[in-house]
Amino acid sequence: MLAVFVALGLFVRSMVTMPGESFRGAPPLPDAATLALAESLKRSVEHLAVDIGERNLSRAPKGLAAARDWLSGELAGLGYAVTPQRYEVKGVAVENLSVERAGSSLSKELVVVGAHYDSALGTPGADDNASGVAVALELARRFAASSPARTVRFVFFTNEEPPHFRDGTMGSLHAAEASRKANEDIRAMLSLETIGYFDDREGAQHYPWPLSSFYPSTGGFIAFVGDRGSGSLVRRAAAVFRRSATVASEGASVFQSIEGVDWSDHGSYWKHGYPAFMVTDTAPFRNPNYHRATDLPPTVDFPRLARVTLGLEQVVRALAEGDAEPAGAGR
């Protein structure tokens, strides 16, 4: 029996061990560019969570439409041609928004960066998911003048939250299905989901079984979460992030049946056979404001969110250039 438990422990460890070394210690003093990035992220989150507020089809359809229109305007202002993906839910039109930087040598291969712009019922959704939207918008800004090898697509999804989650009305399911029908060659999909809440206190971080034995009990890290089929992609992304980011990071490529592993738009891409992972602060496993009216901008750590953004920029650039699988593994 002991041998069985040892083997199980080794197997789980193989799923949670990532290449490179996670950042440790105090972050460097921010330079002017990082401070400006933090302020830009804050403005976006405050606009979505305060100026617009609750945004969903069930209780706040005007807020959902306002968020869509604001995002469309922001993306157009960056020089992108915005492609809406319209569909109807009970006779009401809703839209995903998509923009691209066309690839050069590998233009038929895609890297998709996505975030949902709706909020849960009764919540302004600062962390869930204005934080992810703000970072996706900043990444789109940083790629606006780029010429990557692979095509980079930024998608802002509608209807991720219940009652649409895992339902045919979920925006990312429509997007992933359209990509599969078009036989698109998506090499990586990154779902930016609740990425702005951090808590460095002991005991602040929780996990679904059996992961608690392998990760910190403090919530000062960003997580890369994929399924078993996306393990290579998760390890590659974590390794690139760790080379430059000044934020602690953890990663896992585990079974979809573990609670929380498919809790965002990346799960829609798994359903259609695409490699994908979620970048997250672990949401309800850390943030007490999750799906509550208290999910407000003051709970978001904007300086740390800026450092996450800079690290993710390097991840997307590496994936867009077909960066090779890194060697070695560490914690």
Side-chain angles (χ1 to χ4, degrees), residues 130-192:
S131 65
V133 170
V135 172
L137 187 59
E138 288 295 333
L139 292 174
R141 177 175 288 111
R142 288 162 183 266
F143 274 81
S146 295
S147 181
R150 289 174 171 159
T151 295
V152 179
R153 176 181 296 166
F154 297 93
V155 189
F156 297 84
F157 302 112
T158 190
N159 289 6
E160 188 270 353
E161 298 288 1
H164 308 287
F165 182 63
R166 293 178 178 157
D167 185 84
T169 58
M170 189 177 180
S172 57
L173 277 173
H174 281 260
E177 181 180 13
S179 290
R180 179 51 68 198
K181 286 182 177 178
N183 200 29
E184 291 185 326
D185 186 6
I186 296 176
R187 295 301 179 96
M189 187 275 175
L190 292 70
S191 175
L192 309 186

Side-chain angles (χ1 to χ4, degrees), residues 5-25:
F5 281 110
V6 170
L8 178 61
L10 291 173
F11 178 63
V12 175
R13 181 165 290 281
S14 73
M15 295 190 287
V16 303
T17 300
M18 294 290 115
E21 293 292 331
S22 174
F23 178 82
R24 293 182 176 87

Side-chain angles (χ1 to χ4, degrees), residues 1 29 59 86 110 147 158 164 171 215 218 267 278 302 308 322 327:
M1 183 61 71
L29 291 175
R59 284 192 11 157
R86 297 185 180 92
L110 279 75
S147 181
T158 190
H164 308 287
Y215 293 107
T218 54
M278 170 174 57
F302 291 105
V308 169

Side-chain angles (χ1 to χ4, degrees), residues 13-330:
R13 181 165 290 281
S14 73
M15 295 190 287
V16 303
T17 300
M18 294 290 115
E21 293 292 331
S22 174
F23 178 82
R24 293 182 176 87
L29 291 175
D31 57 18
T34 305
L35 290 172
L37 174 58
E39 283 300 312
S40 181
L41 292 164
K42 184 178 181 180
R43 285 194 298 271
S44 293
V45 170
E46 288 182 339
H47 183 73
L48 287 166
V50 178
D51 298 340
I52 295 175
E54 185 177 352
R55 47 202 184 277
N56 52 63
L57 199 56
S58 299
R59 284 192 11 157
K62 291 183 179 178
L64 187 67
R68 175 203 64 203
D69 293 345
W70 175 73
L71 279 168
S72 183
E74 291 292 301
L75 293 165
L78 296 174
Y80 286 105
V82 182
T83 301
Q85 181 188 38
R86 297 185 180 92
Y87 63 99
E88 287 192 358
V89 179
K90 296 182 179 180
V92 179
V94 293
E95 292 181 351
N96 297 322
L97 301 175
S98 175
V99 298
E100 289 185 357
R101 287 302 301 164
S104 54
S105 58
L106 301 171
S107 62
K108 297 297 184 182
E109 300 177 6
L110 279 75
V111 174
V112 177
V113 180
H116 71 88
Y117 63 87
D118 61 317
S119 71
L121 301 183
T123 171
D127 189 36
D128 184 16
N129 187 35
S131 65
V133 170
V135 172
L137 187 59
E138 288 295 333
L139 292 174
R141 177 175 288 111
R142 288 162 183 266
F143 274 81
S146 295
S147 181
R150 289 174 171 159
T151 295
V152 179
R153 176 181 296 166
F154 297 93
V155 189
F156 297 84
F157 302 112
T158 190
N159 289 6
E160 188 270 353
E161 298 288 1
H164 308 287
F165 182 63
R166 293 178 178 157
D167 185 84
T169 58
M170 189 177 180
S172 57
L173 277 173
H174 281 260
E177 181 180 13
S179 290
R180 179 51 68 198
K181 286 182 177 178
N183 200 29
E184 291 185 326
D185 186 6
I186 296 176
R187 295 301 179 96
M189 187 275 175
L190 292 70
S191 175
L192 309 186
E193 172 67 65
T194 61
I195 57 177
Y197 186 89
F198 299 88
D199 191 336
D200 297 305
R201 295 175 298 172
E202 187 69 33
Q205 183 68 53
H206 306 278
Y207 306 91
W209 187 88
L211 302 180
S212 57
S213 299
F214 299 93
Y215 293 107
S217 58
T218 54
F221 62 88
I222 200 74
F224 294 73
V225 181
D227 65 350
R228 296 296 289 156
S230 303
S232 176
L233 173 61
V234 173
R235 288 188 292 273
R236 184 187 313 177
V240 173
F241 187 85
R242 288 176 167 187
R243 286 204 292 261
S244 64
T246 55
V247 178
S249 59
E250 301 291 344
S253 59
V254 295
F255 297 108
Q256 293 185 32
S257 58
I258 293 178
E259 184 184 15
V261 168
D262 71 340
W263 282 1
S264 193
D265 298 299
H266 58 298
S268 298
Y269 285 78
W270 289 345
K271 290 180 187 297
H272 290 279
Y274 290 119
F277 66 94
M278 170 174 57
V279 184
T280 179
D281 60 23
T282 76
F285 298 106
R286 178 189 304 174
N287 190 345
N289 307 294
Y290 177 75
H291 283 192
R292 295 177 181 269
T294 52
D295 184 9
L296 293 162
T299 69
V300 175
D301 186 334
F302 291 105
R304 198 152 10 184
L305 187 60
R307 302 201 303 274
V308 169
T309 304
L310 294 173
L312 289 177
E313 179 184 0
Q314 297 309 308
V315 171
V316 177
R317 291 195 184 280
L319 293 174
E321 297 303 327
D323 191 39
E325 178 87 14

